[in-house]
Amino acid sequence: MTLIGGWVAQRTGDRRHLVLGFAAGLMLGVVAFDLLPEALHQAPEEVHGVPQALLMFAAGFLAIHIVERAVAIHRGHEAEYAEHTHGQRPAQAHAHGHDHGRARSGVDGHQGVGLTAALALVGHSVMDGFAIGAAFQAGTTVGTVVAIAVVAHDFADGFNTYTITRLYGNNRRRALTLLAADALAPVTGAAITLLFTISEHLLGLYLGFFAGFLLYLATSDILPEAHSPHPSRTTLLCTLGGVGFMWLVIGLAG
């Protein structure tokens, strides 16, 4: 699915927003109907009146939010620096102005930024695979629905890995290499869980954390991306369809 996402990124059309909308619906469904109930079942102990699983859910949401905001602030400072360099010596101003112009044209000369973002997606895919392995330790039903959610999300991961790498001026070969690494990453993460057994309590905490992580990706990344170019009813219907499909899958699996 990651490779398909990268392939679509190279040949994208006006239908991509529908696929992303459906993927977000799948992710919302697995959080609401499976991950949180399972996390609460396995880690019901409370801390100051709140179940530990829900505290980890909030922690997972906030963790990815803080990371993304930190990256956004860093990029904002880089943009401000580029603006201020116009007041420097002519040679420096010309060089920075040239880079700034390239950024506005959609191709930034800072290839390292694209590589860092793509490698972060690869690392995230390792955790996706770990989540699948950990969920199967909790049971076949949980593992199956988590796998479906991760597969849906990996389409967006593959799409973004290729797009971000190319956006920052990296060549096609490097983008395809990172795409291949992103495709292998979930398999690696799942294989790691074969080496040990996670206790029921820790598993509940992890599932709660991953639920918050998944919810943030669905609501803050994938849904805005799906609706920004095409704020259509069809995209919303696809999201509702994804939620309904996950409800059906979990009902049949149970």
Side-chain angles (χ1 to χ4, degrees), residues 20 22 34 48 124 139 141 167 238 245 247 252-253:
L20 291 176
F22 185 75
D34 191 76
H48 199 59
H124 165 235
T141 300
L167 179 67
C238 286
F245 178 76
W247 185 13
L252 293 175

Side-chain angles (χ1 to χ4, degrees), residues 9-151:
Q10 299 178 68
R11 298 168 173 81
T12 185
D14 289 336
R15 300 289 181 181
R16 181 178 68 92
H17 60 291
L18 301 180
V19 179
L20 291 176
F22 185 75
L26 290 179
M27 294 164 68
L28 290 171
V30 76
V31 168
F33 306 146
D34 191 76
L35 284 181
L36 280 181
E38 189 65 28
L40 287 168
H41 174 72
Q42 299 200 30
E45 295 83 0
E46 295 185 353
V47 176
H48 199 59
V50 178
Q52 293 180 7
L54 292 183
L55 290 174
M56 291 301 292
F57 169 73
F61 188 97
L62 292 174
I64 184 63
H65 174 64
I66 291 171
V67 170
E68 288 206 343
R69 287 300 90 201
V71 172
I73 291 171
H74 176 69
R75 289 178 181 173
H77 288 331
E78 284 187 343
E80 290 176 7
Y81 177 75
E83 290 287 349
H84 289 315
T85 53
H86 288 290
Q88 294 180 355
R89 292 191 298 271
Q92 292 176 318
H94 174 74
H96 287 294
H98 179 65
D99 287 343
H100 185 55
R102 290 181 66 193
R104 281 187 289 186
S105 67
V107 181
D108 195 315
H110 301 294
Q111 297 180 0
V113 175
L115 290 176
T116 301
L119 288 173
L121 286 170
V122 172
H124 165 235
S125 292
V126 173
M127 295 306 298
D128 279 349
F130 186 88
I132 293 176
F136 270 106
Q137 289 191 20
T140 303
T141 300
V142 180
T144 300
V145 296
V146 168
I148 291 173
V150 169
V151 166

